[in-house]
Amino acid sequence: MIFSSIEDIKHLSINERLKYLGKEKKTFIKKREYRSNMMLNPLNLKHLNRIDNQQADMITLNLEDAIAPSRKREALVNIALFLSHLKSSNSFIIVRTNPLNDGGIEEIKFLNDFAFDAIRVAKVKDQRDIEKALNILDISKELHISMETKEAFENLSSLRIDKRFTTANIGILDLLTSLGLPQSLVQRDNPTIHYILSKFLIESKIAGLHPISFMYQDYKNIDEFKKWCKLEKKMGFTTKACMGPLQVEIANKIFGSTDKEIQKAKYIKKVFEESAKRGENGFMDKKYGFIDEPIYRDALLVLEAHLDRY
């Protein structure tokens, strides 16, 4: 926990909380594997106080649609207060701002001096929005976007104008509204949803962006959440937006690589590199059959996400 007790903080006004800002600067965290991205409401002080020790690979502090306009400043100050006392975190910390022209610019400017890992901007449409955000964002931080508009959906593969822009999160419900489609389409067997997710995944990869699949909001329906995770992993996703620790636990398990998969990748790397030294880049292996350079590169992808395990 960041604070041993938050009882005193609960009774402070917004302006009083600003007087208790600390000077901690947590180290920027860059993980190799991102399986889960847990959304947290910064009006919940109990949840904020635990962002230093969560199982989620990513934590997104949400200033946008879950916060009523009358309480957005309170949420912003809460984030600043807890970040300013945060010494370290197991998770990559993201702040999701409002659209740039609806408070987002001011939120980024206010937060720039605090230690977190990325800003996630809502309702992005085109390269001008990306450029505007990057121009005001501290250069030590990554830029992420919520891909929620039909314009961004159309332009996704061309949006990456700077290497600091690293990640796209699909907001499936807002995107459907922007496209004039009903949200009832969000079913695992719906071909339109399959197309939307596939296009988002492939065009993110073309652009060099990390794609994060949508948040399943029926958080009590664990069985359905598991089925969505398995479908999305089969499609090629490696990260799922989550509501709460239980979804995080499931996403971490489904999207993570097993020890068996890692050991197989280690073996392929070893035997291929030994063979390559002899001038052979394709050969029959007694354990895994034919191994060539594409098989080797796929093994490296697995290992790059798990440097701490090999």
Side-chain angles (χ1 to χ4, degrees):
M1 294 188 295
I2 299 174
F3 296 101
S4 58
S5 174
I6 57 174
E7 291 306 310
D8 291 340
I9 298 174
K10 291 179 180 178
H11 303 293
L12 296 175
S13 68
I14 296 175
N15 289 333
E16 286 173 334
R17 291 177 189 182
L18 286 171
K19 296 177 182 178
Y20 286 90
L21 294 179
K23 296 183 179 180
E24 294 291 346
K25 295 282 186 179
K26 86 169 189 68
T27 304
F28 175 82
I29 184 169
K30 182 66 175 179
K31 292 192 172 188
R32 292 281 180 167
E33 181 183 35
Y34 297 110
R35 302 159 297 177
S36 53
N37 183 2
M38 182 168 68
M39 189 78 74
L40 289 184
N41 186 326
L43 295 176
N44 189 319
L45 301 184
K46 182 179 178 181
H47 290 171
L48 270 182
N49 200 37
R50 295 176 176 173
I51 63 173
D52 61 331
N53 189 25
Q54 291 283 354
Q55 295 303 308
D57 294 320
M58 295 172 147
I59 292 176
T60 297
L61 307 177
N62 186 17
L63 285 169
E64 201 211 357
D65 45 11
I67 309 298
S70 62
R71 302 194 70 184
K72 287 188 184 291
R73 184 167 180 267
E74 177 187 353
L76 181 65
V77 170
N78 286 349
I79 290 174
L81 175 60
F82 282 81
L83 288 177
S84 71
H85 290 273
L86 179 63
K87 296 179 181 179
S88 63
S89 176
N90 297 326
S91 308
F92 186 95
I93 304 295
I94 306 151
V95 180
R96 182 189 186 189
T97 71
N98 287 281
L100 293 174
N101 294 326
D102 191 21
I105 290 176
E106 292 74 19
E107 289 165 352
I108 295 172
K109 288 179 177 179
F110 175 77
L111 291 168
N112 256 339
D113 290 335
F114 297 96
F116 57 97
D117 301 301
I119 281 288
R120 173 175 162 185
V121 179
K123 304 297 188 297
V124 165
K125 292 185 177 180
D126 53 36
Q127 288 185 353
R128 291 172 295 182
D129 291 330
I130 303 299
E131 183 177 14
K132 187 183 297 185
L134 288 169
N135 283 341
I136 57 175
L137 181 63
D138 183 88
I139 60 172
S140 69
K141 298 173 174 63
E142 293 184 10
L143 176 65
H144 298 189
I145 67 165
S146 295
M147 211 278 302
E148 305 162 302
T149 67
K150 60 184 178 183
E151 293 85 359
F153 188 58
E154 179 183 16
N155 300 319
L156 183 58
S157 63
S158 63
L159 286 182
R160 195 181 191 210
I161 58 174
D162 189 283
K163 65 181 181 180
R164 285 188 293 152
F165 174 27
T166 65
T167 303
N169 303 260
I170 186 168
I172 194 75
L173 299 182
D174 284 328
L175 177 60
L176 288 171
T177 298
S178 179
L179 291 168
L181 295 171
Q183 296 179 357
S184 60
L185 292 181
V186 184
Q187 304 290 332
R188 281 184 293 108
D189 60 353
N190 188 298
T192 300
I193 297 303
H194 289 189
Y195 169 75
I196 288 173
L197 291 176
S198 298
K199 183 177 187 294
F200 168 66
L201 173 72
I202 296 303
E203 298 212 4
S204 293
K205 292 293 188 178
I206 290 171
L209 297 170
H210 179 74
I212 299 179
S213 195
F214 69 96
M215 185 164 62
Y216 181 72
Q217 296 186 333
D218 186 2
Y219 65 92
K220 293 183 179 180
N221 192 342
I222 297 305
D223 184 60
E224 187 67 11
F225 178 75
K226 287 180 181 178
K227 290 177 180 177
W228 271 109
C229 288
K230 289 177 180 178
L231 170 64
E232 290 158 331
K233 181 175 182 178
K234 187 176 181 180
M235 295 178 76
F237 285 97
T238 57
T239 314
K240 179 72 170 169
C242 297
M243 292 184 70
L246 184 53
Q247 286 193 354
V248 166
E249 181 181 352
I250 293 166
N252 284 352
K253 182 176 181 180
I254 292 176
F255 288 101
S257 296
T258 65
D259 287 338
K260 183 177 180 180
E261 290 169 331
I262 294 171
Q263 291 305 315
K264 177 180 177 180
K266 287 173 62 177
Y267 176 87
I268 290 173
K269 178 179 184 295
K270 179 177 181 293
V271 297
F272 180 86
E273 291 176 355
E274 289 174 350
S275 178
K277 290 177 182 178
R278 299 191 297 268
E280 298 177 1
N281 282 8
F283 57 93
M284 288 299 299
D285 178 75
K286 60 184 179 181
K287 289 184 68 173
Y288 295 114
F290 186 69
I291 295 176
D292 61 0
E293 192 163 346
I295 301 295
Y296 169 70
R297 289 199 300 266
D298 188 65
L300 292 182
L301 285 176
V302 173
L303 295 177
E304 284 172 3
H306 301 280
L307 289 177
D308 59 332
R309 291 167 65 182
Y310 81 95

